[in-house]
Amino acid sequence: MKRKIAVITCHWGDDNDDRASAMRLISGAASRNFSVDIIHLNENISQYEIVKDSIFQVHRLPVVDRNSLRSDLIKVALASYDQGRKIPEVAAESITAYRGKAHFVSEALDNIAPDIILLGGLAQPYDICKLDDGAVTHKPAKIIALPLMNELTTEFTESQLKFLKRADEIISLSHGEENLLKSYFPSKVSSLHIAFNINRHAAKNMLFGVRYFNKYVLLIRSFPPGTQRFSRSLTHEVLKTAIDPFSVAEVDNEQWRISDDQNTLKLPVSASRVNLWRLMAHAKLTIDLRPPRPLGREAIESMLLGTPVIAHKDSIAYEHVKAASGGLWYSDYNDLIQTIRIALDPEINANLKKSAAEYSKFHHGDSTKFIEEIKDLFSE
């Protein structure tokens, strides 16, 4: 009989949410060898319901009294003081309160009777004691925490540390995250390398019109569509002038374009991941100008396609680029243009390209290896 896994997460089903993508990929890999149920903590429902989602049975639990806007405003205010590195406990309590409280966690765990509980993300809005409530009816479950951190400069709050301390094992998804977690919990941190499947056949086809421009770099300002972007950053026009004769392709929500020193073409394509791969595959560089995101997914995908990446040094993307020697990084926009020029040097670019492809293929390009990693993790 397969061992049972209960995945508890706020992140499920949203295509624009990197954490939701991670949870689906990990849960899907785990389902090859285990029975996996999802406990989705959902602020948009009012009662406990069980629904079918592909191969998964999803227990949707209501989260009440959630106010994400107020929580985010507190974090933004703190960031203006010290980049949000240390959150005072009184503010942390308010942030936790505004995240709401999930109901029926014990009931869902009783229904599933899991051997393993996977906590997906640091947002776990319920009393941690609920994880033990079902121990009367079945053996205590092993608890594994998957923090899915957005960036690595903010200190953990007491509430987050409480969850991490309760876990029997903690999973990191990047070297930087692993080092940070080991500084708190040196003996119970394991690493996991998510495999991303890329349609290489589709990526070989250039987007319409791109072939009429010079060799180009790719700027990612906002992707997937509707996600956060900086209102001010390195502009398309400044970079186009600074790296002439290279052209500049830009992805900014639904607005995609490519320019050289004389012409600009609005790319008449849907803002899909496959089309992003097509731009990545034929670019000399991928330059990530976005606010930090949890997985560094686009950096990994670019390296899988053999295209080096430039990322901000405080991002998860940087952690993958640094580990791969598959690109360069910047700390502010003053040094970004010079970094891009260095990465475009033919010899340097060739070396970065080679390292990026080799590292990403080994760690993130093998789905069978990923499934075995998950099997080993949950079998111990």
Side-chain angles (χ1 to χ4, degrees):
M1 185 175 178
K2 290 184 177 180
R3 301 184 79 192
K4 293 183 179 180
I5 300 174
V7 177
I8 306 179
T9 185
C10 291
H11 310 288
W12 190 262
D14 184 349
D15 291 338
N16 287 345
D17 183 351
D18 275 5
R19 292 183 174 92
S21 297
M23 295 315 305
R24 189 172 286 277
L25 287 166
I26 291 169
S27 299
S31 69
R32 300 294 293 271
N33 294 289
F34 305 93
S35 173
V36 180
D37 279 55
I38 311 300
I39 298 176
H40 181 200
L41 313 180
N42 192 320
E43 63 182 300
N44 298 316
I45 61 174
S46 58
Q47 60 185 10
Y48 179 1
E49 58 188 21
I50 301 176
V51 298
K52 194 73 174 175
D53 181 353
S54 181
I55 61 172
F56 303 106
Q57 184 166 262
V58 181
H59 301 247
R60 300 174 68 197
L61 310 188
V63 177
V64 300
D65 299 328
R66 185 177 178 89
N67 193 323
S68 300
L69 177 59
R70 291 190 177 186
S71 172
D72 290 343
L73 284 172
I74 294 173
K75 287 185 282 187
V76 169
L78 291 169
S80 67
Y81 170 66
D82 68 346
Q83 288 73 56
R85 287 185 173 85
K86 185 169 180 60
I87 299 177
E89 192 55 35
V90 63
E93 290 174 0
S94 297
I95 291 171
T96 299
Y98 286 134
R99 284 177 179 161
K101 184 173 287 292
H103 290 178
F104 307 111
V105 174
S106 297
E107 290 84 345
L109 289 173
D110 276 339
N111 285 338
I112 300 168
D115 301 290
I116 299 166
I117 298 172
L118 176 64
L119 306 178
L122 287 171
Q124 299 285 334
Y126 52 86
D127 183 353
I128 193 171
C129 295
K130 300 292 184 184
L131 299 178
D132 298 313
D133 283 357
V136 175
T137 57
H138 60 87
K139 65 180 181 180
K142 177 181 179 181
I143 297 176
I144 301 176
L146 178 68
L148 291 170
M149 298 176 68
N150 205 43
E151 41 78 32
L152 307 176
T153 57
T154 303
E155 296 183 15
F156 293 112
T157 66
E158 287 300 318
S159 175
Q160 291 168 344
L161 284 173
K162 187 176 180 181
F163 270 101
L164 293 172
K165 287 176 182 176
R166 176 64 186 82
D168 301 298
E169 190 166 0
I170 303 171
I171 305 174
S172 68
L173 298 181
S174 71
H175 290 282
E177 190 179 42
E178 180 180 6
N179 291 336
L180 175 63
L181 291 166
K182 281 185 174 179
S183 71
Y184 286 87
F185 310 100
S187 62
K188 61 179 182 180
V189 178
S190 301
S191 61
L192 179 66
H193 303 92
I194 294 180
F196 295 100
N197 293 318
I198 287 182
N199 187 334
R200 295 180 182 275
H201 179 74
K204 287 181 180 179
N205 301 317
M206 296 185 79
L207 293 180
F208 175 79
V210 170
R211 68 179 67 254
Y212 300 110
F213 288 78
N214 299 327
K215 294 178 180 179
Y216 65 90
V217 302
L218 170 61
L219 286 182
I220 304 180
R221 201 175 299 281
S222 178
F223 186 87
T227 54
Q228 287 184 318
R229 72 190 294 280
F230 288 120
S231 58
R232 299 180 63 184
S233 61
L234 177 65
T235 66
H236 186 105
E237 290 72 23
V238 167
L239 181 59
K240 180 176 63 176
T241 301
I243 63 171
D244 184 66
F246 288 93
S247 298
V248 177
E250 181 180 74
V251 169
D252 188 0
N253 282 314
E254 302 281 353
Q255 306 300 315
W256 293 25
R257 60 176 170 164
I258 185 169
S259 302
D260 59 19
D261 60 339
Q262 296 182 10
N263 303 293
T264 296
L265 172 66
K266 291 184 178 179
L267 297 171
V269 296
S270 62
S272 69
R273 191 164 293 277
V274 172
N275 284 332
L276 181 70
W277 294 339
R278 288 172 174 148
L279 278 181
M280 284 177 170
H282 301 279
K284 300 299 289 183
L285 285 174
T286 295
I287 304 159
D288 194 340
L289 298 179
R290 299 171 299 168
R293 292 179 64 82
L295 297 185
R297 176 173 183 170
E298 286 73 28
I300 294 170
E301 290 178 336
S302 182
M303 292 193 294
L304 281 167
L305 290 165
T307 302
V309 178
I310 294 179
H312 194 278
K313 69 177 185 64
D314 288 335
S315 67
I316 296 295
Y318 153 81
E319 298 295 336
H320 295 299
V321 171
K322 181 183 177 183
S325 297
L328 301 176
W329 44 90
Y330 65 98
S331 57
D332 56 50
Y333 297 127
N334 293 326
D335 65 1
L336 178 53
I337 288 177
Q338 184 59 27
T339 301
I340 294 169
R341 287 171 172 162
I342 292 170
L344 287 173
D345 174 86
E347 183 176 352
I348 293 174
N349 190 265
N351 289 335
L352 294 175
K353 181 182 180 75
K354 182 174 183 291
S355 297
E358 289 177 351
Y359 176 92
S360 58
K361 181 180 179 181
F362 180 80
H363 289 290
H364 301 283
D366 188 338
S367 294
T368 301
K369 182 179 177 181
F370 174 46
I371 291 169
E372 287 301 312
E373 276 194 62
I374 293 284
K375 182 180 178 181
D376 292 343
L377 181 69
F378 291 151
S379 295
E380 294 175 356

